[in-house]
């Protein structure tokens, strides 16, 4: 049920995405991510419009990682940072990371193709119901997304909310 | 041999998979794949005649300007391709591929030859004038307005013309009426030389521009001044 994507411009990397609802152990997962037991980004799905948004953040994280230009300490924190429209790191974690009381989680794993990835191991750590990543749209809080990314109704005349979000993520270094 | 090696390093490996669609003086434009989608990749390559550090700065600035202006336009509801990714190492911009589009240039040429051509083109001219007025209201100066740098999505005879502005590499932000007037002057020159006998059509575009913004009449006045300067200069030269 998880989804795996290749990054065309970094063919040695793969991105795996998993989505869970009815989550019971957010606090525990957060601890595991902090102590390295889970090597992945734990993201608040209410801020995610589409799986493509995750891929854009992951691709940029790999790019900055390879060039030694990350703003945070790991590839996974960098994914969370890249989702944010601002350059404030703690704000990014507050909005896009998960909190102990959350009842859903979007997990993103990035791995080199030579490494083996044990998805089942990660799934076994989550006390929640796994759903298809496309179902993230049922969890999106569009009103908060629009507010945070400052998307005015006018902008939706020339594209979707996803377009607006991705365009800000890609240009935030110079905007 | 050594220089060739240096050059090769300056080309990112992902461009090898992409198909080049245009080689310009400043940039190469490719079509490729990115995160499962079709994209346009615009690569600003190093200019060997410029000092490397000057070149790097200038190229970086143009790349940044291009994505900034695109975002500024989209925020105001003016259609321009979505930016997916920017690689500042190689100065490559990954843009939404505007599929099923034709440039306004390629659209005008055959339509001009048909009987109902004039009417279709009038609707298009109205739309272009309206969008450029909106763009100038956002203080975006395009810098390279031509009919090649406008893509047309739906059929122009429909009320709902979908115009997409592209190629913001020479753009900048300015509130000056003078800059907006020059922007229109550049378009006028390009328009009339690319499409002969379109003076009436271009007038219609300017009328629509004027009607679309409170600030437009002052810009048109500047345009008149700029034209006059242009004419004087060409008489001297
Ligand atoms: N986003 C896009 N979608 C579809 N075609 C595009 C897009 N961007 C550019 N093109 C095509 O590539 C050509 C060159 O791109 P442009 O940005 O105008 O570069 P240049 O500075 O070389 O003129 C355009 O005239 C158009 O035909
Ligand atoms: Mg062009």
């Amino acid at each position: 049920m998880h989804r795996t994507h290749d990054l065309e411009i970094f063919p040695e990397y793969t991105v795996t995405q998993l989505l869970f609802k009815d989550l019971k152990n957010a606090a525990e997962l957060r601890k595991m991510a902090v102590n390295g037991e889970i090597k992945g980004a734990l993201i608040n799905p209410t801020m995610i419009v589409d799986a493509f948004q995750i891929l854009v953040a992951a691709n940029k994280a790999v790019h900055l990682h390879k060039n030694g230009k990350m703003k945070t300490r790991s590839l996974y924190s960098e994914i969370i940072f890249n989702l944010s429209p601002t350059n404030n790191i703690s704000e990014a974690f507050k909005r896009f990371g998960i909190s102990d009381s959350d009842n859903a989680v979007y997990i993103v794993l990035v791995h080199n193709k030579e490494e083996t990835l044990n998805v089942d191991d990660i799934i076994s750590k989550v006390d929640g119901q796994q759903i298809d990543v496309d179902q993230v749209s049922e969890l999106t809080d569009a009103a908060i997304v629009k507010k945070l990314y400052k998307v005015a109704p006018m902008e939706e005349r020339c594209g979707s909310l996803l377009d607006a979000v991705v365009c800000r993520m890609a240009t935030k270094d110079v905007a | 041999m050594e220089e060739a090696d240096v050059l090769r390093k300056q080309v990112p490996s992902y461009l090898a998979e992409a198909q080049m669609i245009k080689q310009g003086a400043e940039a190469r434009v490719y079509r490729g794949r990115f995160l499962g989608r079709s994209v346009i990749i615009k690569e600003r390559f190093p200019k060997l005649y410029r000092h490397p550090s000057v070149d790097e700065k200038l190229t970086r600035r143009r790349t940044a300007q291009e994505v900034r202006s695109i975002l500024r336009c989209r925020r105001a509801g003016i259609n321009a391709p979505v930016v997916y990714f920017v690689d500042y190492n190689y100065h490559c911009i990954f843009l939404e591929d505007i599929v099923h589009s034709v440039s306004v240039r390629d659209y005008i040429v055959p339509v001009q030859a048909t009987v109902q051509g004039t009417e279709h083109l009038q609707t298009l001219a109205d739309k272009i004038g309206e969008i450029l007025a909106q763009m100038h209201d956002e203080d975006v100066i395009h810098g390279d307005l031509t009919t090649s740098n406008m893509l047309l999505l739906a059929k122009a005879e429909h009320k709902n013309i979908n115009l997409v502005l592209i190629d913001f590499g020479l753009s900048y932000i300015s509130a000056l009426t003078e800059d907006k007037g020059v922007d229109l002057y550049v378009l006028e020159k390009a328009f009339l030389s690319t499409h002969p006998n379109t003076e009436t059509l271009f007038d219609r575009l300017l009328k629509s521009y004027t009607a679309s913004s409170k600030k437009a009449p002052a810009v048109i006045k500047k345009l008149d001044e700029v034209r006059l300067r242009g004419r004087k200069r060409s008489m001297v030269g």
Side-chain angles (χ1 to χ4, degrees), chain B:
Chain B
M1 189 64 212
E2 243 170 50
E3 196 181 351
D5 278 346
V6 172
L7 281 177
R8 203 167 308 123
K9 266 193 215 121
Q10 289 169 341
V11 177
S13 57
Y14 51 78
L15 287 178
E17 308 281 315
Q19 186 193 355
M20 200 199 291
I21 56 173
K22 193 188 167 194
Q23 160 86 61
E26 288 281 337
R28 282 185 281 260
V29 178
Y30 302 79
R31 181 169 276 120
R33 303 289 298 173
F34 179 71
L35 308 177
R37 299 190 179 198
S38 176
V39 291
I40 296 293
I41 307 169
K42 189 163 180 178
E43 179 206 19
R44 288 204 164 69
F45 46 83
K47 299 298 264 297
L48 296 175
Y49 59 81
R50 285 198 288 249
H51 186 281
S53 70
V54 174
D55 184 65
E56 168 73 21
K57 252 196 180 146
L58 199 65
T59 310
R60 194 187 164 87
R61 190 161 71 218
R62 293 235 166 106
T63 304
Q65 269 162 347
E66 180 148 20
V67 300
R68 254 188 227 124
S69 296
I70 288 177
L71 181 63
R72 200 167 169 119
C73 281
R74 292 191 58 90
R75 275 176 189 247
I78 301 160
N79 213 342
V82 180
V83 182
Y84 292 140
F85 173 60
V86 188
D87 180 346
Y88 288 103
N89 278 343
Y90 293 113
H91 308 293
C92 286
I93 307 177
F94 289 64
L95 296 162
E96 169 192 9
D97 184 4
I98 310 296
V99 288
H100 307 301
S101 66
V102 55
S103 73
V104 167
R105 179 197 175 123
D106 291 343
Y107 177 79
I108 289 182
V109 174
V111 173
Q112 216 187 346
T114 67
V115 184
Q116 313 99 313
T118 333
E119 205 184 306
H120 293 171
L121 292 182
Q122 282 175 350
T123 321
L124 176 61
D126 288 347
K127 188 68 185 181
I128 297 173
E130 184 191 323
I131 286 180
L132 296 184
Q134 281 171 17
M135 183 186 80
H136 283 170
D137 272 349
E138 298 301 315
D139 294 336
V140 174
I141 312 300
H142 185 284
D144 191 16
L145 286 176
T146 63
T147 48
S148 300
N149 288 335
M150 302 171 186
L151 303 181
L152 202 53
L153 266 176
K155 288 205 171 85
E157 51 263 50
H158 293 173
K159 264 275 166 278
N160 240 338
I161 298 180
N162 214 337
L163 200 68
V164 184
L165 300 180
I166 61 165
D167 201 358
F168 285 88
L170 296 175
S171 70
Y172 57 99
I173 306 302
S174 165
L176 295 180
T177 316
E178 165 89 16
D179 292 335
K180 295 174 188 177
V182 171
D183 217 18
L184 291 183
Y185 184 65
V186 168
L187 176 64
E188 183 174 63
K189 283 277 202 192
F191 201 104
L192 298 180
S193 70
T194 317
H195 311 288
N197 309 314
T198 51
E199 283 78 6
T200 328
L201 191 65
F202 195 78
D203 273 346
R204 176 136 182 168
L205 188 159
L206 291 180
K207 284 218 178 64
S208 162
Y209 178 93
T210 312
S212 302
S213 163
K214 282 203 306 271
K215 296 177 187 163
V219 177
I220 299 293
K221 220 174 127 211
K222 275 287 175 199
L223 171 63
D224 287 335
E225 288 175 32
V226 177
R227 275 181 188 142
L228 212 59
R229 285 203 303 256
R231 221 167 290 141
K232 277 189 192 142
R233 206 173 299 134
S234 67
M235 279 194 301
V236 174

